[in-house]
Amino acid sequence: MVLPLLSPTRRDSGLLNLLAGGGVLAVLLAVLTWDGLRDVVAALTGLSMARGEMLSLLALLAIAGLIAQLGRRIWTMIPHTRFSAEERRILRALPQALARGEIQPHFQPVVDADTGQVVAVEALARWIKADGSILPPGQFIGLAERAGLIRLLTKGIMEHAVRTAAAWRTHDLDIPISINLSVEDLEASDLVDHLIALCDRHGVPHAAIRVELTETQSIVHFDVVDRAVATLRQAGMAVYLDDFGTGYASLSVLHRIPFTGIKLDQSFIRRLRDDPRADAIVRASVAIARDLGLALVAEGVEDSETRDRLGQLGVSHIQGYVYARAMPAHDIVDFARQTQPALTLSL
Ligand code: C2E
Ligand code: CA
Ligand code: CA
C-alpha cells in the first residue's frame, strides 16, 4: 500500500502515485487504532520529508485520519453492529418505560442477625410491565450501560428511592435505602449533586440514603470516583464497595477510595458451607474490614447454616433469601413491622 508512495521513478508521476496510494492508504488507516495511525504518520512523514513531498502527504494523511475517526464513530452509532434484535427492542422501550414509571425499585432487607431487625434495604431495579410481569435487572442494566442510558435509569431509581424514604419517614420508618450506582454514574455526570439535592428537596436526611458502587473493575478515572465518593461521605451518605472480592482490583480500589463499608460477594457466601477456601476468603475479608474500620454486609445468604457460620466469623449484617427477597415498598413496611413490633406503621 505504501509502495507507490515510496517508489515513484519519475518526479512528475510522484504526485499521481501519491494520490492513488493515498486513497487506499486512507481505507487502510481507517482500520488502524489512533496510536497505530500516529506511528504510520510519523514514519511516512519522515520518509516524505526526504522526498520533498511532505505537504501533499500530510494532507492525505490528515484526510485519512479524519476518515478513520469518522468511520469508527459511525460504526459504533449503528445499533445493529452492537445489539441483537431483542436488545434493540428492549432499548427502544426503555426511555418510555422510565418516563411512565414502569422501572422502579423493589427493596431487599438487610437484617441484623443478632437482633432480627431490618438495618437497611437495597433498592433493586425491576421493570414492571403493563401485564404485571417483571423483568429482572440482569436483562436491562448491562444493556443500559452499554447503550449509554444508565444515568437516565439511575436518576429514575434515585427519584423512586428518595420518595420512598420520604414516605416511610412520615410513618416513622427510618431505614436507610441503598442505591446501586455504576462507575459511569460517578465518573461522568453530576449525579452526586443531583442525589444530594433530591434528598434536600424531599426533606430526607442524607444518612437515610446509601450508595453501592458496582463494576469497580472498570474504574478509569480514580481521581474522579475518589472525589465523588468523598463528596457523598461529606454529605453524610455511607458508600459501600459492592461485590467485594470479585474484581481483580478489589483491594486496590479499597485502598484508593474512602468507602464506608464492603458487601461480600455472593459467590463466596454460597460456597461457605462446603468449601474451606471460601471460608478462608470470608475470614480474611472480615479481618480486612475490621482493620480498616469498614462496615460489612454479607449478601446472598440463603440458609440458616450459612448465616450461623457468618455469625461465628463476626458478620451480623445479612442480606439474602434466608430473610427475604426484594419486595415492593409497601411490603417492606409490613416486614419491618413484624421484626420491629414497636412500630405502628400504616401506608
Ligand atoms: P447486586 O447489587 O449484587 O444485588 C444483589 C442481587 O442478588 C439481587 O439480584 C438480589 O435479588 C440477589 N440476591 C439477594 N439475596 C440473594 C440470595 O440469597 N440468593 C440469590 N440467589 N440471590 C440473591 P437482582 O435484583 O437480580 O440484581 C442483579 C444486579 O443488577 C445487582 O446485583 C446490581 O448489580 C444490578 N442492579 C440492580 N438494580 C440496579 C440499579 O438500580 N442500578 C444499577 N446500576 N445496577 C442495579
Ligand atoms: Ca448492590
Ligand atoms: Ca452485590
Side-chain angles (χ1 to χ4, degrees):
M1 226 59 71
V2 177
L3 279 182
L5 292 171
L6 305 180
S7 58
T9 48
R10 284 176 293 138
R11 183 96 192 108
D12 54 356
S13 66
L15 189 60
L16 277 177
N17 272 342
L18 200 61
L19 285 169
V24 185
L25 185 65
V27 176
L28 175 70
L29 292 181
V31 297
L32 291 177
T33 63
W34 181 242
D35 282 346
L37 186 67
R38 277 202 312 235
D39 290 347
V40 173
V41 169
L44 291 184
T45 304
L47 281 168
S48 68
M49 278 171 78
R51 298 184 53 82
E53 290 165 350
M54 185 178 71
L55 276 182
S56 35
L57 182 57
L58 281 183
L60 281 171
L61 288 171
I63 292 168
L66 283 176
I67 292 172
Q69 276 194 322
L70 194 66
R72 272 197 296 273
R73 189 153 297 183
I74 291 172
W75 184 255
T76 54
M77 279 166 61
I78 302 171
H80 73 257
T81 61
R82 292 188 294 155
F83 302 110
S84 69
E86 173 62 8
E87 288 175 332
R88 286 205 304 280
R89 198 184 56 70
I90 293 175
L91 282 176
R92 269 198 303 273
L94 192 72
Q96 250 193 343
L98 277 166
R100 284 200 294 252
E102 286 179 12
I103 297 180
Q104 47 180 272
H106 278 186
F107 300 89
Q108 186 179 26
V110 178
V111 174
D112 183 335
D114 295 335
T115 63
Q117 298 205 333
V118 180
V119 289
V121 293
E122 177 174 7
L124 292 160
R126 301 286 183 263
W127 187 334
I128 299 160
K129 301 288 184 99
D131 63 5
S133 61
I134 296 181
L135 206 62
Q139 293 190 29
F140 57 91
I141 293 280
L143 199 53
E145 280 172 344
R146 277 162 59 210
L149 289 173
I150 192 67
R151 271 175 274 156
L152 198 63
L153 192 144
T154 302
K155 275 192 173 174
I157 296 292
M158 278 179 178
E159 182 92 33
H160 275 286
V162 172
R163 280 176 189 278
T164 302
W168 284 350
R169 294 183 68 75
T170 62
H171 294 273
D172 292 329
L173 184 58
D174 183 10
I175 298 178
I177 298 179
S178 274
I179 300 172
N180 288 286
L181 293 196
S182 300
V183 166
E184 194 197 319
D185 288 326
L186 291 190
E187 275 190 346
S189 78
D190 57 347
L191 267 184
V192 166
D193 294 337
H194 180 77
L195 179 58
I196 294 168
L198 205 56
C199 287
D200 295 343
R201 192 172 336 131
H202 289 279
V204 170
H206 299 160
I209 297 294
R210 296 178 176 178
V211 164
E212 292 181 17
L213 191 58
T214 56
E215 287 296 319
T216 41
Q217 46 276 59
S218 60
I219 294 181
V220 179
H221 306 292
F222 265 92
D223 50 335
V224 179
V225 174
D226 187 20
R227 266 202 308 277
V229 171
T231 305
L232 286 165
R233 292 205 53 189
Q234 271 157 23
M237 290 181 193
V239 186
Y240 281 74
L241 171 57
D242 206 353
D243 305 333
F244 179 73
T246 50
Y248 67 90
S250 272
L251 285 177
S252 137
V253 169
L254 201 57
H255 179 225
R256 294 172 75 171
I257 297 180
F259 288 101
T260 325
I262 56 182
K263 292 192 81 169
L264 254 180
D265 190 63
Q266 315 195 5
S267 54
F268 309 120
I269 305 297
R270 296 247 190 80
R271 286 187 237 129
L272 195 58
R273 278 191 317 177
D274 35 42
D275 181 353
R277 293 158 71 91
D279 197 277
I281 289 173
V282 171
R283 262 184 286 133
S285 303
V286 172
I288 289 175
R290 190 191 50 234
D291 291 351
L292 294 179
L294 297 166
L296 182 69
V297 175
E299 73 180 347
V301 183
E302 293 189 346
D303 54 83
S304 49
E305 207 181 315
T306 305
R307 180 194 55 200
D308 294 346
R309 175 63 186 145
L310 284 163
Q312 288 166 1
L313 296 177
V315 184
S316 56
H317 286 188
I318 304 288
Q319 179 179 350
Y321 296 171
V322 68
Y323 288 114
R325 295 183 181 233
M327 58 185 94
H330 53 84
D331 290 348
I332 286 286
V333 177
D334 293 334
F335 188 86
R337 193 190 279 140
Q338 285 160 21
T339 59
Q340 283 147 283
L343 289 170
T344 48
L345 300 164
S346 59
L347 267 184

